[in-house]
Amino acid sequence: MRKITIQLLMVMTTILIGVSCTKDKGKIIKDEIDEKNLTPCPEKASCQYLFTEDADLNEAGSGLITGPYRLFWADIQTPGVRTTLYIKAPMEGKTFSFNKQAILDGKVKLIRSCAACLMTPFRLIEDGYVKGINLRPDKQADQTRWLLEAEIILEAIGQPAKRDTLHVKQYFDPNFVFN
C-alpha cells in the first residue's frame, strides 16, 4: 500500500511540474519574427515606420491624440497614393500579438487616400495577424527599436470576391525624444 501511495505521489508531482513549466502561449519569442526579408519600400515611394507612446487616433482616424496605446504607423507614399497602417499596441510589455479578432476590434486601422484616382475602397476583414517585439528592451523608450510583422487581409467594399493582402515586416523607430 505504501509503495502505491509513493508511486501516485511521484506521478502527481511529475504532472504538476510539467504543467507549471509550460511556456506562455501568448508570449512572442524573438525567433518568431525573422529579421530577414523585411518589406522593401516600393520604387519611387517614401516610407516611414514609426511609433509613439501614450497615443491614440482621433475620431476621424487620421490624427494622433493622447491615449492609452503605443501607436505604430507605417506610412507609404507613392506618387498619388498614400497608405497608412496604424497599430494600437499595449503600453506594457516587450512583445505583443494580435489575432483577427483584435484587428476587427479596432486595434488596427488602415487609411488609403488618392486625390485624383478611382480607387476601390477596401476594409479589414476576418483574417490576419500582427506581432511585435522590442529589440532593445534594456534601453529607455526613445532609444528602443521595435520589429513588427503584420499580415492584414482586405476585402473590397461591395465586392467580397475581390481581396488584397497587406504585408508589413519592418523596424519601427521612436517618433519622440525624452532626453
Side-chain angles (χ1 to χ4, degrees):
M1 181 73 171
R2 183 175 174 162
K3 186 177 180 181
I4 293 173
T5 305
I6 291 173
Q7 288 175 341
L8 285 173
L9 284 172
M10 288 176 56
V11 169
M12 287 179 58
T13 303
T14 304
I15 291 170
L16 288 173
I17 291 172
V19 171
S20 67
C21 292
T22 58
K23 290 183 180 179
D24 178 9
K25 291 184 170 95
K27 193 172 187 177
I28 296 175
I29 299 170
K30 186 174 181 176
D31 296 336
E32 288 185 30
I33 304 178
D34 182 8
E35 292 189 56
K36 297 176 186 165
N37 302 318
L38 297 177
T39 307
C41 189
E43 191 174 321
K44 296 182 182 178
S46 168
C47 299
Q48 287 186 319
Y49 304 96
L50 301 169
F51 76 92
T52 193
E53 297 195 337
D54 297 308
D56 199 353
L57 294 173
N58 64 13
E59 289 206 22
S62 59
L64 281 74
I65 59 173
T66 301
Y69 302 107
R70 180 174 287 125
L71 188 64
F72 295 88
W73 66 94
D75 188 50
I76 297 120
Q77 295 184 42
T78 55
V81 180
R82 181 177 187 173
T83 302
T84 307
L85 178 69
Y86 292 100
I87 300 164
K88 299 177 183 184
M91 281 295 300
E92 60 281 339
K94 296 174 177 64
T95 64
F96 72 91
S97 64
F98 293 153
N99 59 17
K100 58 186 174 184
Q101 189 57 50
I103 294 168
L104 292 174
D105 289 343
K107 299 292 185 191
V108 176
K109 180 147 179 106
L110 177 69
I111 297 176
R112 283 188 173 164
S113 59
C114 180
C117 64
L118 297 173
M119 222 167 82
T120 302
F122 281 84
R123 65 185 169 106
L124 306 174
I125 61 164
E126 302 176 9
D127 211 352
Y129 66 89
V130 179
K131 54 187 176 177
I133 184 166
N134 185 342
L135 298 175
R136 300 178 190 152
D138 54 328
K139 301 280 188 183
Q140 61 186 39
D142 64 337
Q143 297 172 0
T144 61
R145 178 175 244 197
W146 284 77
L147 176 61
L148 269 64
E149 182 175 5
E151 188 167 287
I152 311 295
I153 310 300
L154 308 169
E155 178 180 276
I157 295 174
Q159 301 174 11
K162 190 173 185 181
R163 293 191 172 186
D164 192 9
T165 302
L166 177 64
H167 183 79
V168 174
K169 183 173 162 186
Q170 195 53 256
Y171 297 109
F172 286 70
D173 295 309
N175 190 39
F176 58 93
V177 176
F178 284 144
N179 292 334

